[in-house]
Amino acid sequence: MKARSKDELRHMRAAGRVVAEMHEKIRAAIRPGVTTADLDAIGRTVIDNRGATSNFLGYHGFPAVICASPNDVIVHGIPGAVVLKEGDIISVDCGAVVEGWHGDAAFTAGVGEISPEAARLIAVTEASLDAGIAAMVEGNTLGDIGAAVQAVVEAAGFSVVREYVGHGIGRAMHEAPEVPNYGVAGKGGKLKKGMTLAVEPMVTIGEPDTFLSEDGWTVLSADRSWAAHFEHTIAIGPNGPEILTRP
Ligand code: MG
Ligand code: MG
């Protein structure tokens, strides 16, 4: 990956701000009785109001601007008539494009009151992303990111999903290199200043194995244990990581 120029980073910050606003508005709407289609509609409104475009809608035929993945769905759930109920958790992943540059980020939230275990799953997954981001320093490696994420998740007794990984991001949503959420510190490609990566731990309470539902999109945990997903688009800056998808 070539180092992003100042102008390119400026566009990626703009795309990141749109994604952050989608998150903020969708998060505020999550409550019992809301459908995942309602959340998608909120995302569409933000994209339209900001003059951005969606990198999710039409991606290999994906029909929505967000992925909405409740409970045992890990990623890539299709928004629709599913009604959120008290005690559920819901992972929302979305992105936006500004001037041809991409942002991509995800979060998991509880619906109303959730169990202590579900709350711990969400907190640990977010903390694992924070740990991965902290490792995004020039001279470190992709293995340092993965090892940092994995250490937090496994210390909590949860599992890191292996079959889906983070990625480079820029002119396209998914660029090289792949960014696994597991690994060995010091191994893998070197991190360089000006790189832009999406780091996105997917964590299950039970086993890490996944299966794809008949719709061809929805990825569930094989043991049907609940899953959480957090993601940011991050630039490796001169003074450490810069999160582009945080307001
Ligand atoms: Mg991503
Ligand atoms: Mg994403």
Side-chain angles (χ1 to χ4, degrees):
M1 178 184 288
K2 278 201 327 197
R4 306 304 181 196
S5 71
K6 266 191 173 157
D7 271 352
E8 291 168 351
L9 280 173
R10 194 164 51 79
H11 294 318
M12 289 191 72
R13 282 189 198 102
R17 277 194 298 274
V18 176
V19 178
E21 186 180 346
M22 294 169 82
H23 279 204
E24 192 187 337
K25 299 223 156 105
I26 289 168
R27 190 188 271 279
I30 291 172
R31 64 176 64 87
V34 163
T35 69
T36 51
D38 295 334
L39 303 181
D40 185 63
I42 292 166
R44 282 178 198 248
T45 301
V46 173
I47 284 179
D48 291 346
N49 288 346
R50 297 297 164 215
T53 55
S54 172
N55 39 13
F56 279 46
L57 184 64
Y59 182 89
H60 296 285
F62 191 77
V65 305
I66 72 167
C67 294
S69 305
N71 302 338
D72 56 357
V73 180
I74 302 169
V75 284
H76 304 165
I78 300 171
V82 172
V83 178
L84 299 181
K85 58 184 195 304
E86 183 89 18
D88 285 346
I89 62 173
I90 177 76
S91 297
V92 174
D93 189 359
C94 60
V97 187
V98 172
E99 302 287 348
W101 292 88
H102 290 244
D104 180 15
F107 69 93
T108 304
V111 181
E113 190 97 15
I114 62 174
S115 74
E117 188 179 47
R120 196 168 72 86
L121 172 69
I122 291 172
V124 165
T125 306
E126 186 166 25
S128 76
L129 173 58
D130 291 343
I133 292 171
M136 294 178 70
V137 177
E138 185 174 34
N140 276 2
T141 66
L142 291 168
D144 288 313
I145 299 174
V149 170
Q150 184 180 7
V152 170
V153 171
E154 293 182 354
F158 297 139
S159 295
V160 169
V161 170
R162 309 298 174 110
E163 286 139 322
Y164 301 86
V165 295
H167 48 92
I169 180 168
R171 278 280 192 206
M173 180 159 59
H174 295 134
E175 296 185 355
E178 290 193 343
V179 185
N181 298 301
Y182 55 91
V184 177
K187 300 281 187 193
K190 281 253 190 242
L191 304 180
K192 298 196 190 94
K193 210 162 44 186
M195 283 180 114
T196 47
L197 304 174
V199 181
E200 50 178 315
M202 289 148 266
V203 175
T204 57
I205 289 176
E207 296 300 316
D209 312 279
T210 72
F211 76 96
L212 186 62
S213 88
E214 282 173 8
D215 67 20
W217 281 105
T218 308
V219 176
L220 297 104
S221 64
D223 63 5
R224 309 307 294 263
S225 67
W226 284 17
H229 180 207
F230 279 83
E231 176 180 28
H232 274 304
T233 297
I234 302 119
I236 298 175
N239 306 309
E242 178 189 352
I243 299 174
L244 305 177
T245 43
R246 192 149 72 186

